[in-house]
């Protein structure tokens, strides 16, 4: 058995929101995951040069496979995994994640999903527990938060996620987090939960 505790920064925290508190996958139900787990255990036992890096990458690959299983199972709670398991909404979510700086509108997103605007709005709200544009904003701010912690300036972080002006970015940040963007650099991710 391979078990781990995952503490994640934004925006991965958003991905896991709405997922079960515990995800268990039997080896026989996912041969790829079993193979990665075998290699991970071998790396952990070897203690060789580079093992820590190898284990981190193996864990990332395992996490992707486990999340896919959770998506296929259709998580019961509203959240990103529920949206990704939806037969059409997942297209819009993938588009948002691929191009977060794009000036998304509901019409553009519903077209990505191949749905009518009204059906898209209703299904999005039901599956994710928020409106499409609120989700876009939350995702952008999560990515900007990571950029700031990694040392990007506020103007660079703002532009990287689609804000044309620093002032607009600061207003969105203040509405969402209740403080100024500089606080992200000082306090780190634990002080700024995205959800």
């Amino acid at each position: 058995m391979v078990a781990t505790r995952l503490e994640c920064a934004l925006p991965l925290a958003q991905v896991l929101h709405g997922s079960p508190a515990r995800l268990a996958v039997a080896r026989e139900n996912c041969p790829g995951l079993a193979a990665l787990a075998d290699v991970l255990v071998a790396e952990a036992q070897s203690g060789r040069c580079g093992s820590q890096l190898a284990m981190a990458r193996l864990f990332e690959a395992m996490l992707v496979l486990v999340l896919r299983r959770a998506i296929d199972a259709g998580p019961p709670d509203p959240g990103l995994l529920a949206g990704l398991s939806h037969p059409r909404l997942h297209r819009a979510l993938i588009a948002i994640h691929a191009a977060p700086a794009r000036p998304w509108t509901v019409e553009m997103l519903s077209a990505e999903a191949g749905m009518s605007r009204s059906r898209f709005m209703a299904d999005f709200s039901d599956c994710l527990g928020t409106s499409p544009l609120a989700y876009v904003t939350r995702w952008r701010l999560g990515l900007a938060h990571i950029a700031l912690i990694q040392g990007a300036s506020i103007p660079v972080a703002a532009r990287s996620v689609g804000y044309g002006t620093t002032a607009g970015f600061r207003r969105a940040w203040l509405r969402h987090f209740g403080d100024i963007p500089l606080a992200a650099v000082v306090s780190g991710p634990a002080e700024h939960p995205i959800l």
Side-chain angles (χ1 to χ4, degrees):
M1 179 170 97
V2 174
T4 187
R5 176 185 166 94
L6 175 66
E7 293 184 23
C8 54
L10 308 174
L12 184 56
Q14 287 177 248
V15 174
L16 298 177
H17 180 69
S19 65
R22 182 174 177 265
L23 295 169
V25 179
R27 288 179 64 92
E28 60 272 10
N29 294 339
C30 191
L33 185 61
L36 288 172
D38 290 342
V39 177
L40 180 78
V41 168
E43 283 296 325
Q45 292 172 340
S46 77
R48 296 192 60 186
C49 177
S51 285
Q52 291 299 317
L53 179 61
M55 289 188 312
R57 296 301 169 261
L58 287 163
F59 176 73
E60 288 172 1
M62 291 172 67
L63 180 61
V64 169
L65 295 180
V66 169
L67 290 175
R68 284 181 183 166
R69 299 285 296 191
I71 289 166
D72 292 345
D77 297 330
L80 182 55
L81 292 182
L84 289 170
S85 69
H86 188 280
R88 292 190 176 192
L89 286 181
H90 75 275
R91 297 178 205 159
L93 291 165
I94 290 168
I96 293 166
H97 298 168
R102 190 170 177 191
W104 292 108
T105 64
V106 172
E107 290 74 19
M108 292 165 65
L109 291 169
S110 61
E112 287 284 343
M115 301 170 74
S116 71
R117 184 184 194 283
S118 59
R119 177 80 284 165
F120 174 75
M121 290 286 291
D123 284 3
F124 198 99
S125 180
D126 289 346
C127 282
L128 279 94
T130 189
S131 72
L133 296 184
Y135 178 83
V136 170
T137 298
R138 203 168 65 194
W139 188 259
R140 286 177 176 163
L141 292 175
L143 294 173
H145 188 263
I146 290 171
L148 290 170
I149 290 171
Q150 292 175 341
S153 68
I154 291 172
V156 168
R159 278 192 307 276
S160 74
V161 295
Y163 286 90
T165 68
T166 302
F169 173 71
R170 287 178 192 265
R171 283 190 302 273
W173 186 281
L174 183 61
R175 275 192 308 273
H176 189 74
F177 290 121
D179 61 14
I180 59 173
L182 184 57
V185 179
V186 175
S187 62
E191 299 298 319
H192 292 88
I194 196 91
L195 301 169

